[in-house]
Amino acid sequence: MAAAPVWSVDPRTGKQREQVAVEATAQEVDAAVRAAHAARASLADRTLRAAFLRTAADRLEAARDLLVEAADAETALGPARLTGELARTCYQLRAFADIVDEGAFLDVIVDHPDDTATPPVPDLRRYKVPLGVVAVYSASNFPFAFSVAGGDTASALGAGCPVVVKAHPDHPALSELVARVLRAAAAEHGVPEGVVGLVHGFEAGIELIRHPLVAAAGFTGSVRGGRALFDAAAARPVPIPFHGELGSLNPVLVTDAAAAERAEAIGTGLAGSMTQGVGQFCVKPGLVLVPAGAAGDRLVKSLTDAVGGTAAGVLLDQRMRDNFLAGVAERTGLPGVESPVAPGAAGERTVTPGFLTVPAAELTGEGAHDLLLEECFGPVTVVVRYADEAEATAVLSRLPGNLTATVHLSTEEAAGEGRGAELLAELTPLAGRVLVNGWPTGVAVAPAQHHGGPYPATTSTSTSVGGTAIERWMRPVAYQNAPEALLPPELRDDNPLGLPRRLDGRLER
């Protein structure tokens, strides 16, 4: 039986552009994983792998025009958005190179013997080592930042782990181009090209998670797809860590005082956030608690005007468009749900943004609309009108885990008057990033960033964005009473690599 072809498709027309590859067989997945496994030793030198990451960024920038053109042809996300996303990706690669150079991510701890302690302490030296080959499952909505050269790949390579990427079917041609750039960067530093593998096809993705030489996996996508891979990772004879980002509502709470103070600005800001990228951001605000009454009405009026003036857009593929339309229709048909600006189809390929409104009482108690507490991918949000603080709290108490949670406060509440701190504490259990007077779309690549949250937002407590993302691909190991001559250089007393470390309880830099 011939292998299935992999086509690049133009989402604006639905037409096939070119055949890019064929779906990988089990034997080809095995070859890619074994090539990656064989490349592990080439990443042992931290100086070399930091240089590799910087060269990868340089080469991606040099190929910018070609890459952005290919990405736009397959995603319809537009050159401006894609140029910015590529710049972010290159910045992220360099940021991990800096982290590798610094060395603090190794968490070096040295405790010399102490016979006076109870119980006595032997000579103990601890640091972190790379896990091995990492399987990376690309996302559709960020063809650079969460794909072949994205955060999972950059952090895994930074940790010293080769990767095998399962390409997303929405941008296979771009995936091949980016993989080629990364391999050229590797070759420039004498690193085997197998350090970055690439496979296509659904079955290839299943074979990849099951391969005995794959040591960990990173995924960004749907709850259904991510949970299937998560379960497969756990069901292996030797289970492996699975760091998956699956889905998020990203709730927003607007207080009475905030609505009274700046209803129009909040409504306009919400419209911009929920329609950004045609509503295809993983941190799109999908459920917004707005007070009932005149101030809340003004906010909804502002949202109506702004969303009503937003142009139709193309989603990443036809399947997503079909799911969006079906999800909107199902939600619109629920009792008590209204559509001030109805989201839906616009022509054969595009969709119009919109939003739904519902009384808070419909989301609590018997017969509650649980569907409204699930993410609907695309340019739609649900505005929940609450009568008092108790109703808002009741809705929040029913929410699943999220990547973000946002509260809009008045000037006085933000200054510490009223319930500001209490609301922040109420939102903290719901999400990995809690925002005040802002919008969740836009995830800064920064050391303190956390892009993760309670399930189903993610399957682990880790982040996929920011410097600490590197921790996902490492494990600690301690040596006890090992002779100095046998220790890795990272753990020797003279600290020949100049690493930050904790020595006998004191932090050294």
Side-chain angles (χ1 to χ4, degrees):
M1 183 176 177
V6 175
W7 290 91
S8 172
V9 176
D10 182 347
R12 294 181 175 96
T13 64
K15 295 181 179 178
Q16 294 176 338
R17 298 176 59 246
E18 59 176 326
Q19 182 179 338
V20 173
V22 294
E23 294 186 356
T25 63
Q27 292 76 20
E28 288 166 335
V29 172
D30 178 66
V33 173
R34 292 187 181 279
H37 186 73
R40 290 174 303 149
S42 67
L43 295 178
D45 185 320
R46 286 190 303 117
T47 301
L48 180 145
R49 67 180 189 257
F52 167 31
L53 290 170
R54 292 190 178 99
T55 299
D58 293 343
R59 285 180 169 268
L60 287 169
E61 285 179 340
R64 180 186 60 196
D65 292 346
L66 173 66
L67 297 177
V68 168
E69 181 181 7
D72 182 51
E74 291 187 308
T75 68
L77 290 174
R81 147 74 195 276
L82 291 165
T83 299
E85 187 185 329
L86 179 58
R88 166 206 166 125
T89 302
C90 294
Y91 175 84
Q92 186 165 244
L93 286 162
R94 295 187 177 109
F96 279 112
D98 291 343
I99 289 168
V100 172
D101 278 340
E102 181 195 56
F105 74 102
L106 295 170
D107 288 341
V108 176
I109 304 173
V110 175
D111 288 328
H112 289 109
D114 183 358
D115 292 335
T116 66
T118 305
V121 175
D123 187 278
L124 287 168
R125 295 154 192 259
R126 178 188 190 272
Y127 79 141
K128 290 181 178 177
V129 297
L131 288 175
V133 178
V134 171
V136 173
Y137 292 81
S138 295
S140 61
N141 55 340
F142 282 87
F144 290 120
F146 283 83
S147 190
V148 177
D152 287 348
T153 295
S155 58
L157 293 173
C161 297
V163 301
V164 178
V165 181
K166 190 274 182 186
H168 198 281
D170 280 354
H171 50 265
L174 176 67
S175 297
E176 289 286 345
L177 289 172
V178 172
R180 198 176 306 158
V181 170
L182 296 185
R183 290 167 181 157
E188 187 172 325
H189 294 281
V191 176
E193 292 187 357
V195 74
V196 178
L198 182 70
V199 296
H200 297 267
F202 176 82
E203 292 299 328
I206 299 297
E207 293 289 340
L208 187 58
I209 200 70
R210 292 173 176 167
H211 198 287
L213 293 181
V214 167
F219 170 90
T220 303
S222 68
V223 173
R224 181 179 178 184
R227 184 56 195 253
L229 291 172
F230 182 35
D231 291 346
R236 291 167 39 126
V238 178
I240 59 172
F242 181 86
H243 303 285
E245 179 190 324
L246 311 188
S248 184
L249 261 182
N250 306 300
V252 178
L253 172 64
V254 181
T255 68
D256 274 309
E261 183 177 271
R262 58 181 196 283
E264 289 75 17
I266 294 173
T268 302
L270 172 57
S273 184
M274 60 154 287
T275 61
Q276 189 174 0
V278 201
Q280 297 173 113
F281 279 24
C282 50
V283 287
K284 177 201 74 177
L287 185 138
V288 185
L289 288 151
V290 173
D297 291 345
R298 283 170 35 226
L299 191 158
V300 172
K301 172 64 166 59
S302 173
L303 177 63
T304 300
D305 293 343
V307 173
T310 302
V314 178
L315 295 183
L316 291 161
D317 62 35
Q318 186 61 36
R319 177 184 59 84
M320 290 184 189
R321 184 176 184 271
D322 291 344
N323 288 341
F324 171 72
L325 296 177
V328 166
E330 193 174 3
R331 287 161 174 79
T332 304
L334 295 171
V337 174
E338 297 181 357
S339 305
V341 179
E348 291 185 11
R349 311 298 306 179
T350 56
V351 297
T352 54
F355 69 95
L356 314 177
T357 61
V358 64
E362 297 287 359
L363 298 182
T364 59
E366 190 175 347
H369 298 335
D370 291 345
L371 181 63
L372 298 179
L373 305 182
E374 298 176 13
E375 178 185 16
C376 185
F377 193 72
V380 63
T381 195
V382 176
V383 174
V384 180
R385 304 299 300 272
Y386 68 91
D388 52 33
E389 294 173 0
E391 271 202 337
T393 296
V395 173
L396 291 174
S397 71
R398 301 200 64 240
L399 297 185
N402 293 272
L403 294 170
T404 71
T406 301
V407 60
H408 278 267
L409 305 172
S410 69
T411 303
E412 283 131 359
E413 288 171 327
E417 300 180 21
R419 296 181 63 238
E422 182 183 334
L423 291 173
L424 219 60
E426 192 173 341
L427 293 178
T428 296
L430 295 178
R433 179 163 57 107
V434 180
L435 297 87
V436 178
N437 292 350
W439 299 104
T441 40
V443 183
V445 179
Q449 184 60 271
H450 187 82
H451 189 65
Y455 186 87
T458 49
T459 60
S460 71
T461 58
S462 302
T463 178
S464 60
V465 180
T468 55
I470 200 169
E471 297 172 359
R472 297 174 295 169
W473 320 122
M474 309 188 76
R475 68 175 181 88
V477 59
Y479 294 91
Q480 181 170 330
N481 294 336
E484 178 88 2
L486 303 184
L487 286 168
E490 291 88 349
L491 298 179
R492 293 176 187 166
D493 277 338
D494 60 352
N495 196 11
L497 303 179
L499 293 170
R501 62 181 183 172
R502 186 171 291 277
L503 179 65
D504 295 328
R506 298 184 304 275
L507 188 63
E508 292 187 346
R509 294 186 181 277

